[in-house]
Amino acid sequence: MKKSQFSAPDAAGRGPRSCGSVRLDRAFAAFSLPGLWQENKATLLLAAAMVAAVVILLIWLARRRRRDMFPEIAPATPAAASDLGLTQIETPPDSGERRPAPSPGIHGKIEVLVGDQQISSFLVTDNPLPIGRDPAQSLVVIQEPIVSKLHCQIFTRGGQVFVKDLNSTNGVYMHDEKVSERELQDNDVVFLGKKGTVKIIYHR
């Protein structure tokens, strides 16, 4: 008699717990994302649009605040030349007249030959062009024994080009004549020393 009284409540208690777990399992089985989307499509779209609008608004506010705090990073419009204190050069209207270009101070060039081989060439300008074997004294360096450390120079005077001997050991020759100073014409040949192994050709 006592056994049946204690066992009845246990059986009654197991019944309701078993039914509740079955209903919970069915509820989880019935839940799915596609079903949730179909049932709440309009609500979910509205929520996504609101989130996007809030994000855009926050980005815009952050940029505006940064521009207000650091105005030096804002792009500035290019200032006019007069605002910067620069001199404005006005181009005069073309009158049709051709003006000669200013002289650049170049009066031709020289070619340096050793034997029949050209070793260098130099422009003849308003500045003297010293020629010799010593690089410390000469701009035109010719490493030949017949050439003195400072042999001669090419220079201009009154728009004309001249060669001048600078007390060289072997002399300066033109047309088989030893010269101390001589004006150069186009294609004149200057020999450093009488042997003629080192020569300078002037071209206007």
Side-chain angles (χ1 to χ4, degrees):
M1 186 64 180
K2 290 182 180 180
K3 184 177 181 181
S4 61
Q5 289 177 354
F6 283 106
S7 60
D10 293 338
R14 284 196 299 268
R17 283 198 299 271
S18 177
C19 292
S21 62
V22 169
R23 284 196 296 269
L24 188 60
D25 292 340
R26 288 178 179 176
F28 277 112
F31 175 77
S32 65
L33 288 176
L36 179 65
W37 169 255
Q38 291 295 334
E39 293 177 2
N40 304 284
K41 183 186 295 185
T43 305
L44 292 175
L45 286 175
L46 181 60
M50 292 179 63
V51 170
V54 170
V55 170
I56 293 173
L57 180 62
L58 290 176
I59 293 174
W60 179 80
L61 289 175
R63 288 185 176 179
R64 183 174 179 181
R65 183 179 179 185
R66 182 169 177 262
R67 188 165 55 247
D68 293 340
M69 292 178 64
F70 304 99
E72 62 274 8
I73 66 174
T77 56
S82 58
D83 296 338
L84 296 177
L86 301 179
T87 303
Q88 295 182 347
I89 302 176
E90 297 182 359
T91 304
D94 188 5
S95 60
E97 298 180 358
R98 295 288 182 179
R99 296 183 179 179
S103 172
I106 297 175
H107 305 277
K109 72 174 183 177
I110 60 170
E111 296 178 355
V112 180
L113 290 85
V114 176
D116 293 329
Q117 183 179 2
Q118 178 181 338
I119 62 171
S120 60
S121 65
F122 297 85
L123 292 175
V124 178
T125 66
D126 293 332
N127 297 320
L129 197 60
I131 301 169
R133 197 176 70 248
D134 184 6
Q137 304 180 66
S138 308
L139 291 177
V140 181
V141 179
I142 306 173
Q143 297 290 352
E144 293 292 323
I146 201 171
V147 179
S148 299
K149 290 183 178 181
L150 186 59
H151 199 106
C152 63
Q153 72 174 0
I154 305 292
F155 68 97
T156 61
R157 183 171 61 212
Q160 303 300 318
V161 179
F162 295 83
V163 60
K164 182 177 182 179
D165 188 2
L166 299 178
N167 299 321
S168 63
T169 301
N170 295 299
V172 175
Y173 290 81
M174 292 182 63
H175 310 294
D176 295 328
E177 178 187 354
K178 187 176 182 180
V179 298
S180 58
E181 183 177 314
R182 181 70 58 89
E183 181 182 350
L184 297 178
Q185 303 297 330
D186 189 28
N187 292 323
D188 272 351
V189 180
V190 178
F191 294 94
L192 306 189
K194 194 172 184 179
K195 291 183 178 180
T197 56
V198 179
K199 57 186 175 182
I200 297 171
I201 304 176
Y202 170 69
H203 299 283
R204 184 171 291 277

